[in-house]
Amino acid sequence: MTLVRLKGGTLFDPINNVNGERRDLTFRDGRIVDVPATTPVDREYDATGMIVMAGGIDLHSHIGGGKTNLSRLLLPEDHRADAPGADAPGADAPGAVAPREAAYEAARDDNGRYLRLPSCGVCTPGTLATGYRYAEMGYTAAFEPAMMPSNARHTHLEMGDTPIIDHGAYVMLGNDELFLQMLAARDDFERLRDYVGWTITASKALGVKVVNPGGISAFKFNQRSLDVDEPHAHYGITPRDVLRTLTRALTELRVPHPLHVHTSNLGVPGNLASTIATMDAADGLPIHLTHIQFHSYGTEGSRKFSSGARQIAEAVNARPNVSIDVGQIIFGQTVTASGDTMMQFRNAPLARPHKWVVGDIECDAGCGVLPFRYREQSYVNALQWIIGLEIFLLVDDPWRVAMTTDHPNGGPFTSYPHLIRLLMDKTFRDEQLAKLHPEAQVASALPELKREFSLYEIAIITRAGPARLLGLRDRGHLGAGAAADIAVYRDEPDRERMFTSPAYVFKDGELVARDGTLVATPTGGIHFVAPEFDRGIEKTLRAYSDANLASNFAHAAISDDEACRCCRGGRLLPVECLT
């Protein structure tokens, strides 16, 4: 039982109200322990003058499943250009990943074997590169937000192939035909609740996501938009009906993570009204609105496209049941991958390069994938960048805001250090604003926002807050008993440089990266929740499956053993339901 001490670091641990205190941190067998300062240790690391935080947690990042693979297939040039020795496209852009030939050569274990197996890509990295790059930044967990039930095994296999980091996924509901049939028939709520509980358990999910509630289904019936109180052309239900049912179901099932909502009318000017209506559709129950930047647009000005950030922030501030992640855009090339086929079909003409995919699977849901390049001199793109930052700076409670780029939709997750610098350094923020389309600068409230995030607040939006929102009681903090997922950063004035290459990163107490270079590649675990429900619902599910689906219902549920195999023997990390 090796006892390890981090000596003299400055800790930022918001869950335990530790704000910049210099103290030692000790861990053993993958867990942080509280021992006397005089206790002898087997290994010690000098963290004097360094910043110590829990490992980062990305609660919304598309890292597994069918559309992630489609994204990789759609941009082979992205992977060719990022291969070792190649010049990465846009290497000077924020968040871009430089050629990694040197890192490949350096990342060897004591026996001379490569730790970093070949894997590449900037917009949507391969599974291996995804794990490497998260760990090298000090992140130890990431969560796939859009797992279709019929594609759950594939999603878990891809996440399981991602080394080092823990993972989990939210299963998609609210556009599947059986749910909509039951809702339209005014079936008993308890049966709908049990259907939700069964789906979470069978797919080994951590929560539920709804994308454009009812809208993906409505698209199949030639509806090209569906607002919160607009009836579905076929089923007659509204997005509000879907939202109320799912939020109530998750509350009664005691699932820790609130309903994860991609609201109606993503990207549409004037959609801020739909976004606020979505908040109120929860009737005061917990609800999480994801990549809210894409849902915060007004129609003011000659271009009929304006920032709704202030109205959205005021709405969030006034509703303590609402949490959000931002979905900040980052300038440069990326690929957008979404379950919102309605929106992606509409955006297809904007694809750059001009190629796209729209698909549907087993009446569960759909997906649309198209490449996109965010440009500083585009008025719309510049204002999107501004809106995201305005939301970060205008929402009062950082515990209800998570830092995301909706990877890869707003930009790659590797741009997080750049985003942190934008939030912490107003001078740098103003310099970047000055490079943008001049009309967007004039339309911005950003210059008047003086707020600069502290290290304590950064620890909340990247670690403590996501852990609390997901119900991960032993992650996101540095208290005794917590998992020894730890990132140690040199305290540099350039916060982007600081958060790009931590001095040390520990995963479950094992040193996995030093100064941005891998030294170990352990297997991560899988977080999931298993709520209680009436298994009598399986009779209805079996009948529907036998009549409509290609798969065998007997094979629908993923067992614990299979989940363990899917993640290459990684530990099962069940999350407790709320009491």
Side-chain angles (χ1 to χ4, degrees):
M1 296 191 297
T2 302
L3 187 64
V4 181
R5 177 180 290 130
L6 280 171
K7 183 75 174 175
T10 303
L11 275 59
F12 289 86
D13 181 15
I15 286 178
N16 293 300
N17 299 311
V18 177
N19 186 2
E21 296 180 21
R22 183 176 177 182
R23 62 169 71 168
D24 296 348
L25 191 66
T26 312
F27 48 93
R28 177 173 51 209
D29 296 338
R31 294 279 164 179
I32 295 172
V33 294
D34 188 7
V35 299
T38 55
T39 303
V41 296
D42 300 288
R43 188 172 301 147
E44 186 170 277
Y45 294 89
D46 184 7
T48 303
M50 299 183 188
I51 303 300
V52 181
M53 296 182 179
I57 299 171
D58 192 346
L59 64 63
H60 187 108
S61 181
H62 296 281
I63 58 172
K67 66 180 178 299
T68 304
N69 254 351
L70 286 172
S71 302
R72 295 171 181 136
L73 292 169
L74 203 61
L75 282 179
E77 58 268 40
D78 176 53
H79 290 260
R80 286 195 298 267
D82 188 46
D87 291 328
D92 295 331
V97 179
R100 292 181 171 265
E101 186 171 26
Y104 275 85
E105 292 301 319
R108 297 172 183 259
D109 66 13
D110 293 339
N111 296 316
R113 295 172 298 193
Y114 286 116
L115 291 170
R116 182 196 300 276
L117 298 175
S119 185
C120 54
V122 175
C123 303
T124 46
T127 54
L128 302 178
T130 296
Y132 302 154
R133 293 174 188 175
Y134 265 121
E136 288 163 352
M137 291 194 310
Y139 272 72
T140 53
F143 294 87
E144 165 57 49
M147 174 175 68
M148 288 190 282
S150 57
N151 201 29
R153 279 181 175 80
H154 178 197
T155 303
H156 285 300
L157 283 165
E158 286 219 19
M159 292 189 298
D161 199 50
T162 303
I164 308 172
I165 61 173
D166 294 334
H167 55 268
Y170 321 136
V171 66
M172 289 175 67
L173 286 171
N175 281 285
D176 45 308
E177 296 302 309
L178 179 56
F179 178 87
L180 294 175
Q181 288 175 18
M182 294 172 69
L183 191 60
R186 301 294 186 258
D187 214 331
D188 290 341
F189 166 75
E190 290 74 14
R191 282 168 45 79
L192 281 157
R193 179 198 62 204
D194 292 337
Y195 172 37
V196 172
W198 179 89
T199 305
I200 294 172
T201 302
S203 59
K204 280 290 185 288
L206 184 58
V208 171
K209 182 185 183 184
V210 59
V211 174
N212 188 357
I216 301 173
S217 170
F219 179 75
K220 303 171 191 176
F221 295 92
N222 290 321
Q223 279 185 278
R224 293 297 178 258
S225 64
L226 190 68
D227 211 343
V228 177
D229 291 302
E230 184 178 354
H232 187 292
H234 180 72
Y235 289 110
I237 55 89
T238 67
R240 187 181 296 272
D241 295 328
V242 174
L243 292 163
R244 280 177 168 167
T245 303
L246 289 174
T247 51
R248 181 182 168 193
L250 290 175
T251 301
E252 293 198 8
L253 291 166
R254 299 179 294 158
V255 172
H257 187 47
L259 179 64
H260 201 91
V261 184
H262 164 136
T263 71
S264 308
N265 296 319
L266 180 144
V268 177
N271 63 9
L272 69 92
S274 296
T275 304
I276 295 172
T278 297
M279 297 180 194
D280 291 335
D283 292 334
L285 297 177
I287 188 170
H288 180 90
L289 273 60
T290 190
H291 42 64
I292 202 168
Q293 178 276 136
F294 290 106
H295 307 271
S296 302
Y297 305 152
T299 56
E300 297 176 0
S302 60
R303 294 178 178 264
K304 303 301 180 185
F305 182 79
S306 60
S307 171
R310 191 171 295 277
Q311 296 97 310
I312 292 296
E314 289 173 353
V316 173
N317 290 338
R319 293 163 175 80
N321 63 304
V322 175
S323 59
I324 63 171
D325 62 78
V326 173
Q328 177 67 36
I329 77 151
I330 300 294
F331 296 113
Q333 180 69 53
T334 193
V335 57
T336 63
S338 174
D340 195 339
T341 49
M342 181 182 282
M343 176 269 293
Q344 291 293 67
F345 178 79
R346 183 175 61 243
N347 289 341
L350 304 176
R352 295 293 182 274
H354 191 63
K355 48 186 174 180
W356 54 279
V357 175
V358 168
D360 181 84
I361 179 171
E362 284 280 46
C363 298
D364 265 344
C367 74
V369 182
L370 58 98
F372 192 82
R373 184 171 184 84
Y374 293 102
R375 296 176 293 113
E376 292 178 335
Q377 292 307 308
S378 160
Y379 170 80
V380 171
N381 296 164
L383 200 55
Q384 288 177 305
W385 181 88
I386 289 166
I387 290 167
L389 292 174
E390 288 176 340
I391 293 170
F392 272 118
L393 298 169
L394 288 168
V395 173
D396 296 331
D397 183 4
W399 287 96
R400 294 191 286 127
V401 182
M403 193 181 79
T404 66
T405 58
D406 186 21
H407 167 81
N409 293 299
F413 66 81
T414 46
S415 60
Y416 288 166
H418 178 75
L419 177 52
I420 289 172
R421 185 180 180 189
L422 288 169
L423 295 174
M424 296 189 71
D425 185 342
K426 175 170 168 51
T427 300
F428 178 69
R429 195 163 65 226
D430 289 344
E431 290 171 356
Q432 300 307 299
L433 178 64
K435 299 177 182 179
L436 305 188
H437 191 289
E439 290 183 52
Q441 294 182 46
V442 172
S444 171
L446 208 53
E448 67 192 58
L449 300 178
K450 310 298 185 185
R451 180 179 179 183
E452 292 180 320
F453 273 58
S454 65
L455 285 169
Y456 189 78
E457 290 173 313
I458 292 298
I460 293 174
I461 67 172
T462 61
R463 288 145 166 90
R468 181 174 289 182
L469 284 168
L470 295 172
L472 309 182
R473 299 180 185 178
D474 64 344
R475 314 281 155 153
H477 70 95
L478 301 173
D485 294 352
I486 304 164
V488 183
Y489 301 93
R490 290 185 172 83
D491 191 4
E492 301 188 39
D494 184 339
R495 298 308 194 186
E496 182 171 353
R497 177 181 172 125
M498 169 180 166
F499 281 97
T500 296
S501 298
Y504 306 108
V505 181
F506 298 87
K507 179 73 190 78
D508 292 316
E510 180 179 3
L511 182 66
V512 295
R514 182 189 292 119
D515 294 317
T517 299
L518 291 178
V519 296
T521 55
T523 301
I526 171 176
H527 293 280
F528 62 94
V529 66
E532 295 181 3
F533 62 93
D534 184 351
R535 292 202 171 264
I537 193 65
E538 291 183 354
K539 182 178 179 180
T540 299
L541 295 170
R542 184 182 298 276
Y544 175 81
S545 177
D546 291 346
N548 298 284
L549 304 182
S551 55
N552 187 333
F553 182 74
H555 303 149
I558 301 172
S559 68
D560 285 0
D561 288 343
E562 187 179 1
C564 189
R565 291 195 300 272
C566 280
C567 60
R568 298 195 170 207
R571 292 186 302 138
L572 300 180
L573 302 169
V575 173
E576 293 182 24
C577 286
L578 301 173
T579 57

